[in-house]
Amino acid sequence: MSVAYIPVQWNRFKYWYDAALALAVGLYLYVFVELGPGLLGQDPPVTPQIHNARAFGSCAFLMMTVILAIGPLARLDRRFLPVLYNRRHFGVMTAVVAVSHFLFVFGWYFAFTPLDSWEAILFSNRAYGSALGFPFEALGIVALISLLILAATSHDFWLSFLTPRIWKALHYLIYPAYAAVVGHVTLGVAQSEPLGFPILVWAGALLVAGLHVAAWAHERRRDVDSGAGSWEAVCRPAEIAEGRARVARLSTGERVAVFRHEGRLSAISNACAHQNGPLGEGRVIDGCVTCPWHGFQYRLEDGCAPAPFTEKLPTYRLRLRNGFVEVDPRANPPGTPVTPLEAGA
Amino acid sequence: MSARDEFFVGFFPVPPGLRAFLLAAGALLILVFGAVGWLAATAQRAPEAGGFRFDLGEQEVTGVLQLSPYPLLYVTEGNERLPAGRTMMLSGGGKFSPPQAEGMDGTLVRAKGVILKRGDLDMLQIGWGPEALTPLEGAAAIPAEVPLGRWRLTGEICDGKCAAGAMRPGRGLAHKACANLCVIGGVPAVFVSAAPVEGSEFLLLAGPDGGPLPEAALAHMAAIVTAEGEISRRGDLLVFRIDPASLAPI
């Protein structure tokens, strides 16, 4: 959390995170590139350039799979939230590994040709109407361009410049990119090589899909359905622990997080102004709601980030009726002060 | 217990209650990457034997150059490995036919290059520079082409260079674009037959007119297909004049 844009906001945790990631990627590439030929015992071996392309390509797929698993895992088990904290470094490293894969392919299969290499990669195989021999390279290019866009716009400058809504929508590109990679493998490797690697890819894709469904179902169960009306019920006051929130899904489709702090209740939008992180899963620290994703903070009484920060959230009015906390589903403009509701013990 | 004891905020120290979990998650991540790397590496099929025979050194032979359907050399004065009477397919460097061969159809030449070989499929990659393919005075006869009739074959259309081991693997659908580029560049196209024809597992491919493979056939590159056409023998090389309309995937 910073008011100035600096290239990378390092901290101790990020160093450890990136070191573990670099070790994992390094181990993958070492096992595949250095030990692989010996493990296979092939004589002659796969051409080194092709072997390297396979190593980096398959590593990039595994990295994308883990990246997409982190979000739902953090929803299902809060202990994974720290893994989500530095996910953008994971994404940038994935783009670097994917570019390496591309360079090995481009500099080998599509080099030393009478055609321009870009023309060669796009048009040397034009069987776009056939699954058999489909130009699977095009799907890889779609995924690579998506990863590069995501990496290039991962910095908070772009988040602020594009606005969180557009930035978030843009970063959903990871899903079509992932689907393109699955297609890239299915229409490429699976048509020429044994099914071992494609099975790994399909298992990874199933795991990602399964985790997303499980997280969605988990969230549906946890959310309070506030019903519909001019005021919507959330829960009894005692159901909200000190320093924590209950999240309610309003009839408007928005999610509201109702926090208890020092015995008083306040309601703000559940979506963090930074990356739409789930504020309702955060905590009140130093009197401010703290986002579980990246630690952005907001005052409960007006939804504003403490100075010198400028982020603002919509606030909601609360009242007590028949022993229930009720929320007015009409959100106040971001930064509107609302007097906290005395809720007692 | 304060809110910070169990709640992770990136710019604060990791809560003690989470440290063991995060260390275990990091270790698991590293182990999973190593294990998947091993699984993915060992899932690769062993490529077919074949490749450049640099160990045999540069070959230097004399012969008659033919440019249709693709560059060929009928060897008239050879050596132990490329004896007189062989008809060798030729390629240049990369995905090209030998550029020095242009305009030298029917010329007696001295050729220098490196052998590529997989099974009974071999090729001579002509070196760079004009000295790798030099015209000679005189002439030599080439054997007449012997027609062997119309055949229907099952097999794969490949570029002869990668199929001979310039790339491993050098066949299959994942290699289709590369094979197309080789053939577009003038590297001889071959048909790797599912069953030997007259004792040979591969045949040089030509269009119905005896020229290079027509573009329509490129759509079937690297797939297993059936194809009909006229087969003839040119020296010790079989030539399959493929009828593109007969090409059908299996």
Side-chain angles (χ1 to χ4, degrees), chain A residues 64 139 174-184:
Chain A
M64 289 177 80
L139 292 172
I174 189 67
Y175 290 101
Y178 191 69
V181 173
V182 174
H184 180 63

Side-chain angles (χ1 to χ4, degrees), chain B:
Chain B
M1 184 193 290
S2 77
R4 227 179 272 168
D5 286 343
E6 57 176 22
F7 182 66
F8 173 83
V9 182
F11 43 82
F12 292 139
V14 175
L18 275 177
R19 279 183 196 155
F21 177 80
L22 291 176
L23 280 172
L28 182 67
L29 179 85
I30 292 166
L31 284 175
V32 164
F33 269 64
V36 176
W38 182 82
L39 285 172
T42 53
Q44 300 175 88
R45 173 180 288 137
E48 293 168 310
F52 285 101
R53 296 301 307 269
F54 294 111
D55 56 314
L56 301 177
E58 185 181 64
Q59 308 297 310
E60 184 172 345
V61 294
T62 299
V64 179
L65 196 62
Q66 303 164 73
L67 297 184
S68 184
Y70 296 98
L72 304 171
L73 184 74
Y74 174 67
V75 179
T76 55
E77 289 178 40
N79 59 30
E80 185 186 344
R81 294 182 187 90
L82 301 178
R86 286 290 319 271
T87 302
M88 288 294 292
M89 297 188 291
L90 304 181
S91 81
K95 300 174 179 71
F96 293 93
S97 63
Q100 309 95 319
E102 195 174 336
M104 291 169 64
D105 193 21
T107 305
L108 188 67
V109 296
R110 174 164 294 120
K112 296 179 186 176
V114 177
I115 293 175
L116 280 146
K117 186 169 177 61
R118 180 176 69 79
D120 62 354
L121 171 59
D122 57 5
M123 180 175 282
L124 188 65
Q125 176 179 285
I126 301 297
W128 298 102
E131 70 282 1
L133 200 63
T134 51
L136 302 175
E137 294 293 326
I142 56 172
E145 197 162 335
V146 180
L148 298 175
R150 189 170 179 84
W151 290 65
R152 185 166 185 269
L153 302 180
T154 298
E156 180 182 339
I157 301 174
C158 305
D159 75 278
K161 188 172 183 179
C162 292
M167 286 199 190
R168 292 186 301 270
R171 292 171 55 187
L173 286 166
H175 184 258
K176 178 172 181 158
C178 179
N180 278 355
L181 288 170
C182 281
V183 173
I184 290 168
V187 170
V190 298
F191 193 87
V192 179
S193 178
V197 177
E198 299 281 312
S200 177
E201 288 181 352
F202 82 94
L203 305 91
L204 176 68
L205 277 171
D209 59 355
L213 201 61
E215 193 177 333
L218 294 186
H220 297 275
M221 182 71 79
I224 304 298
V225 294
T226 58
E228 289 183 28
E230 302 289 335
I231 293 180
S232 59
R233 184 181 292 283
R234 197 186 287 187
D236 62 346
L237 189 67
L238 293 179
V239 180
F240 186 20
R241 293 187 182 203
I242 209 164
D243 176 3
S246 71
L247 277 163
I250 295 290

Side-chain angles (χ1 to χ4, degrees), chain A residues 144-165:
Chain A
L144 181 67
I145 291 172
S146 303
L147 287 177
L148 290 175
I149 290 172
L150 298 182
T153 60
S154 64
H155 197 273
D156 272 354
F157 164 78
W158 288 102
L159 184 69
S160 173
F161 181 75
L162 295 171
T163 73
R165 198 169 131 260

Side-chain angles (χ1 to χ4, degrees), chain A residues 87-160:
Chain A
R87 193 168 49 170
R88 71 179 72 186
H89 285 203
F90 208 149
V92 171
M93 201 180 287
T94 303
V96 170
V97 172
V99 166
S100 305
H101 165 70
F102 169 78
L103 291 177
F104 278 116
V105 171
F106 197 63
W108 186 245
Y109 284 113
F110 300 98
F112 326 112
T113 84
L115 302 183
D116 172 78
S117 292
W118 286 103
E119 188 185 348
I121 200 169
L122 291 171
F123 302 114
S124 58
N125 176 10
R126 286 176 283 180
Y128 286 95
S130 164
L132 192 71
F134 184 88
F136 64 98
E137 295 89 349
L139 292 172
I141 291 173
V142 167
L144 181 67
I145 291 172
S146 303
L147 287 177
L148 290 175
I149 290 172
L150 298 182
T153 60
S154 64
H155 197 273
D156 272 354
F157 164 78
W158 288 102
L159 184 69
S160 173

